[in-house]
Amino acid sequence: MFMEWELLNVVGTIAFAASGAIIAMDEKYDIFGVWLLAFITAFGGGAIRNVLLGNPVSLIWQQNDLFILCFLVALLIFLLPSVVLPHWERWGVIVDAIGLVAFAFQGAQIAIKLDLPLSAAIAAAVLTGVGGGVVRDLLAGRKPLVLQSEVYAIWAILIAVITYYFKLEGGLAVYALLIVVATLRVISYYRKWNLPARKVR
């Protein structure tokens, strides 16, 4: 399980760091702003989750290799946007979907290992999967994606419920779950599946 956990960490960090850096550049932020949004997107959800679950927030600072990876991803995007962005436009939704399911599974696992109920597993999965993105969007002056009609956080909830009831920890079952849910996320994006939304005025 340790190797799987590390792999999920790497994939999620790359995906969310890239999305944070790209949104920062889209808003014409300087290099510090690019790094800041990359770090917040990649690690903000985990920090919020730890606060909610009573887990030491200081655990976030023990991820030196992931910090370096996040820094390098943001730097690469900042220095070579003409090389990276065309590929991101093609593969960004897929990469983001992988990051979402990877971090959602991690959040659910942490809650389960703390012997917390299903509600905590769901909250941890959602916060880990989308929390950093919400803070990123707010800092970029955008409406958070998860609070709009597009189906997004639902996939984190689905992972939490399945992980909790089937007691998934590792192996092929976990990879199958993540692949299926990531695929559903991509399909929901391209087919524009939306949750009901209403406007009062």
Side-chain angles (χ1 to χ4, degrees):
M1 180 59 191
F2 178 77
M3 291 299 295
E4 294 166 349
W5 190 271
E6 291 301 311
L7 177 60
L8 293 176
N9 262 329
V10 169
V11 171
T13 299
I14 292 174
F16 284 2
S19 70
I22 289 170
I23 286 179
M25 291 178 64
D26 193 43
E27 297 295 330
K28 299 182 179 179
Y29 284 17
D30 61 19
I31 182 62
F32 177 77
V34 171
W35 277 327
L36 180 63
L37 259 65
F39 275 91
I40 284 175
T41 310
F43 302 104
I48 297 171
R49 175 205 64 219
N50 282 0
V51 170
L52 182 66
L53 298 184
N55 235 16
V57 180
S58 59
L59 293 175
I60 297 291
W61 304 112
Q62 298 175 8
Q63 306 178 87
N64 291 333
D65 292 342
L66 295 179
F67 287 157
I68 294 172
L69 178 62
C70 178
F71 174 86
L72 293 176
V73 168
L75 182 63
L76 177 66
I77 292 172
F78 185 82
L79 295 177
L80 300 172
S82 61
V83 175
V84 176
L85 293 184
H87 295 289
W88 181 261
E89 291 174 359
R90 182 181 304 174
W91 301 105
V93 174
I94 297 175
V95 175
D96 181 76
I98 295 171
L100 170 65
V101 299
F103 276 10
F105 174 74
Q106 284 191 8
Q109 275 288 301
I110 289 174
I112 291 169
K113 288 183 182 298
L114 292 173
D115 292 324
L116 296 174
L118 175 61
S119 57
I122 291 174
V126 171
L127 287 173
T128 311
V130 308
V134 170
V135 179
R136 172 204 65 203
D137 290 343
L138 292 174
L139 290 177
R142 300 184 174 193
K143 292 182 179 179
L145 175 66
V146 68
L147 301 181
Q148 299 184 61
S149 58
E150 184 180 342
V151 177
Y152 193 78
I154 291 297
W155 305 122
I157 295 174
L158 178 62
I159 285 177
V161 171
I162 293 175
T163 301
Y164 184 88
Y165 280 115
F166 289 91
K167 304 186 185 305
L168 300 180
E169 294 184 0
L172 293 178
V174 169
Y175 286 113
L177 172 64
L178 299 187
I179 290 171
V180 169
V181 178
T183 301
L184 289 172
R185 160 58 189 154
V186 173
I187 292 173
S188 72
Y189 175 84
Y190 284 112
R191 297 202 173 181
K192 301 186 184 303
W193 294 352
N194 293 319
L195 294 174
R198 302 183 72 178
K199 188 175 181 179
V200 177
R201 297 181 184 274

